[in-house]
Amino acid sequence: MDLRLVIDGLAKSYPGRPVFSDINAAVEQGHRLVITGPNGSGKSTLVRVLCAFIRPTNGTVALEIDGKQLKHIELREHIGLVSPDLVLYDELTAIENLSFFAGVSGYHFEIAELRERLSAIGLESRGADLVGSYSSGMKQRLKYCLALLRNPELLLLDEPTANLDDKGKELVDKIIKSHLGITVIATNEKTELDYGDQIIRLGL
């Protein structure tokens, strides 16, 4: 598969408040883009634009797959997202959360496969528990399981190690390094800047 993420002249502003402007990048398959900057500089906003959750004020985002250019809502089925904005359903079990979100996207997984996915992120014994009983770190692990369900071409990670203990951070490191598509990481952690083949610095 030939894969490329193209960010061209991207800008976002709200009435009376510019957030960022003139963001440009071209990221090839197997490469990683890191977005960094102080609090309030627009990192999460840029991630939302890349996900096509919100529209930019100017510029474009395109994911090229085998020469076909995808924009706006077309991007979403090719994206896996881990973000503080991603809300899990506390009143459902982990298995039910995964089944629900997969179904909304038009996918179906057997329960046995979902259990295998949970095992891969260290939640093998907690699949039948309500997510409301999970710690913040366990919820972050579940978000990774959800993001990787469809083997996305574009993996977007906003604050990738938030709420995780050392073992959880090791898991994230393995996920980032083994992802075969394109990975975008929004972070303030200095150690995570090392993941980037390219770095976008906001708020300068």
Side-chain angles (χ1 to χ4, degrees):
M1 179 185 294
D2 185 22
L3 192 62
R4 192 168 185 250
L5 175 66
V6 180
I7 303 169
D8 184 18
L10 212 58
K12 182 64 181 177
S13 63
Y14 296 101
R17 185 173 69 88
V19 182
F20 53 75
S21 62
D22 198 29
I23 303 298
N24 298 280
V27 190
E28 306 291 338
Q29 183 171 357
H31 287 208
R32 298 186 286 264
L33 172 66
V34 168
I35 303 164
T36 191
N39 292 341
S41 60
K43 297 185 299 297
S44 293
T45 300
L46 180 51
V47 169
R48 293 185 194 110
V49 171
L50 296 179
C51 289
F53 286 171
I54 59 175
R55 286 186 174 271
T57 305
N58 289 300
T60 60
V61 178
L63 184 64
E64 298 176 356
I65 302 178
D66 293 333
K68 182 181 179 181
Q69 194 174 79
L70 305 176
K71 294 182 179 181
H72 307 306
I73 293 177
E74 291 178 322
L75 291 170
R76 292 184 185 173
E77 66 181 275
H78 301 278
I79 289 174
L81 174 66
V82 175
S83 167
D85 291 339
L86 181 61
V87 177
L88 302 168
Y89 289 98
D90 284 349
E91 64 272 24
L92 300 180
T93 68
I95 291 288
E96 288 168 343
N97 266 277
L98 295 175
S99 295
F100 172 77
F101 283 109
V104 167
S105 300
Y107 289 82
H108 172 76
F109 295 89
E110 298 297 332
I111 298 299
E113 183 175 359
L114 293 178
R115 290 196 181 111
E116 289 180 9
R117 299 295 187 102
L118 287 171
S119 178
I121 50 98
L123 294 175
E124 58 273 13
S125 64
R126 302 296 300 269
D129 293 350
L130 295 178
V131 169
S133 71
Y134 277 23
S135 69
S136 57
M138 292 169 65
K139 287 182 178 181
Q140 184 76 346
R141 286 174 181 250
L142 184 57
K143 289 180 181 182
Y144 273 94
C145 190
L146 178 59
L148 296 169
L149 264 185
R150 297 178 292 163
N151 299 314
E153 289 87 353
L154 178 58
L155 185 60
L156 296 172
L157 309 178
D158 188 3
E159 300 181 21
T161 55
N163 303 312
L164 291 174
D165 56 17
D166 288 342
K167 287 187 176 180
K169 291 177 181 178
E170 290 173 4
L171 173 66
V172 171
D173 180 71
K174 180 179 178 181
I175 289 171
I176 290 173
K177 290 179 177 177
S178 63
H179 184 237
L180 299 178
I182 293 170
T183 308
V184 177
I185 302 165
T187 183
N188 273 335
E189 297 292 332
K190 291 182 178 179
T191 56
E192 293 170 1
L193 300 183
D194 293 337
Y195 288 123
D197 300 295
Q198 299 180 53
I199 298 178
I200 293 174
R201 299 182 186 274
L202 300 178
L204 298 179

